[in-house]
Amino acid sequence: MTYRSTAFNLSRRTAVLGGVTALALAPFASAWAQDAAAGFPKRPVTLVVPYTPGGPTDLTGRIIGEALAKKWGQPVIIENRPGAGGNIGSAMVAKAQPDGYTVVLGVTGSHAINKWLYKNLPYDPQTDFEPIGMAAIYANAIVANPGVPANTLQELVALARKEPAKYAYGSDGNGAASHLSMELVKAQAKIEMTHIPYKGSAPLLNDLLGGTVPVGITGLPSAAPYIQSGKLKLLAITSARDYSGNNYPSIASQGFAGFDTAAFSGIFAPKGTPKAIVDKMSADLAAVLGQDDVKEKMHKLGLEVQPTTSAEFAAFLSRQIAQWREAVQISGAQVD
């Protein structure tokens, strides 16, 4: 009995001493983290874009990467890691060293929709990352080949009701925000249109331009040059309001009150990245997003700059995950 009592006391004493040691070292650890953040970054930073080059996520990443590189005096390397709806690149960053030197430009698909779309998602968008900050919000655009006799969403709806077999639509991929947005339109309008999933924006736009598919929905940043040149017709955008400066009408303004499925993009670091580094990256991201040249580049692509703090971005992410759960259920989309 005496032996057990002594062992218990020794164990308790060790635990107490360990706690005291940890408390004593805490200020030094905090000071080290602050020093590391103050000099961050000291080498190139890799910004993983988990989608193909040329799409809205890639374009956003390149604008931000260029601006941050100038601010930091260090290269920001854009690394495209597409596949599985953004899962491959996102999972890679989730497992990366949590030091701030490898981050991902997560979007609606990779960090909100996929949680409900994939049965075996290789990461959790909320528990495997540190949200740095939001970058931008952008609409998806419903566009048509010039040969389609519709200039508005309501005219397309009328055509689809009259000849449902004739007007298929293409999207960026099964379960993408573009796909789910169009399925919500179909459900509300009570129309049928066959869905043709593509592997990203570029191949979809090629087929739209060639007339292989009559209608498509993809990121406005990717479609904007073709809309502005008249090679494609814009029927509607998925944001809550019109882009008045560009004469881009929203779905909501065309008989779908309250419709808003605008996509977001933002930077995430691996879970465990020191808070001091997260805070510095968040402040630096907000700073470059506030620059006139960055805002102008974003605006030309149909992107709305949306800087946030890390905490604000985390709260926004929670709301997005809840919202897209309903959209996935309505569409019936699922990827094994």
Side-chain angles (χ1 to χ4, degrees):
M1 185 67 68
T2 303
Y3 173 79
R4 289 180 181 175
S5 176
T6 303
F8 172 77
N9 289 335
L10 286 171
S11 176
R12 182 178 179 184
R13 188 176 302 166
T14 302
V16 170
L17 288 172
V20 171
T21 302
L23 288 171
L25 291 176
F28 296 100
S30 177
W32 174 85
Q34 294 292 339
D35 288 343
F40 179 90
K42 296 179 179 178
R43 54 187 171 85
V45 174
T46 297
L47 175 57
V48 174
V49 174
Y51 295 92
T52 55
T57 309
D58 180 66
L59 295 172
T60 303
R62 292 180 188 279
I63 293 172
I64 292 171
E66 180 182 6
L68 285 174
K70 289 179 181 178
K71 183 172 183 61
W72 287 338
Q74 292 287 350
V76 175
I77 301 166
I78 304 299
E79 184 173 335
N80 293 92
R81 284 294 186 100
N87 291 352
I88 292 176
S90 299
M92 184 189 86
V93 174
K95 297 176 176 62
Q97 186 72 21
D99 54 12
Y101 286 96
T102 303
V103 295
V104 63
L105 188 63
V107 297
T108 304
S110 62
H111 280 70
I113 294 173
N114 289 359
K115 183 178 178 71
W116 311 117
L117 191 65
Y118 288 81
K119 290 182 179 179
N120 299 304
L121 194 65
Y123 59 89
D124 187 293
Q126 290 177 289
T127 61
D128 289 341
F129 296 93
E130 303 286 354
I132 299 297
M134 200 188 308
I137 291 177
Y138 65 90
N140 278 298
I142 301 176
V143 290
N145 180 276
V148 175
N151 295 306
T152 67
L153 178 59
Q154 289 291 6
E155 289 177 359
L156 176 65
V157 167
L159 289 174
R161 284 176 178 160
K162 186 178 180 180
E163 299 179 272
K166 185 175 181 179
Y167 294 100
Y169 80 92
S171 79
D172 295 326
N174 185 37
S178 55
H179 169 216
L180 298 181
S181 296
M182 196 65 182
E183 290 300 309
L184 289 173
V185 169
K186 286 170 52 181
Q188 291 187 32
K190 296 180 172 57
I191 58 173
E192 291 296 328
M193 293 179 71
T194 301
H195 172 227
I196 303 173
Y198 283 78
K199 292 183 178 180
S201 183
L204 167 59
L205 287 167
N206 284 335
D207 277 5
L208 278 166
L209 293 168
T212 303
V213 61
V215 178
I217 178 168
T218 188
L220 179 57
S222 299
Y226 303 105
I227 296 167
Q228 292 161 3
S229 67
K231 294 180 179 179
L232 292 176
K233 294 192 290 187
L234 175 72
L235 306 184
I237 58 175
T238 63
S239 58
R241 61 184 184 275
D242 299 355
Y243 281 12
S244 56
N246 302 88
N247 193 29
Y248 293 166
S250 66
I251 292 172
S253 68
Q254 298 186 66
F256 297 81
F259 195 102
D260 179 11
T261 59
F264 74 86
S265 62
I267 295 180
F268 296 83
K271 190 70 175 180
T273 300
K275 186 178 185 301
I277 290 178
V278 169
D279 290 345
K280 184 178 188 302
M281 293 185 77
S282 181
D284 290 347
L285 175 61
V288 300
L289 290 174
Q291 295 173 189
D292 289 341
D293 62 326
V294 172
K295 288 191 287 187
E296 183 179 355
K297 289 176 184 177
M298 294 282 209
H299 182 71
K300 283 182 178 179
L301 291 171
L303 293 159
E304 182 180 346
V305 172
Q306 195 76 31
T308 67
T309 65
S310 176
E312 289 168 343
F313 191 28
F316 173 84
L317 182 65
S318 295
R319 295 193 298 272
Q320 284 286 298
I321 287 173
Q323 173 186 328
W324 286 101
R325 180 180 188 178
E326 180 181 1
V328 170
Q329 289 173 340
I330 289 172
S331 73
Q334 191 173 71
V335 179
D336 292 332

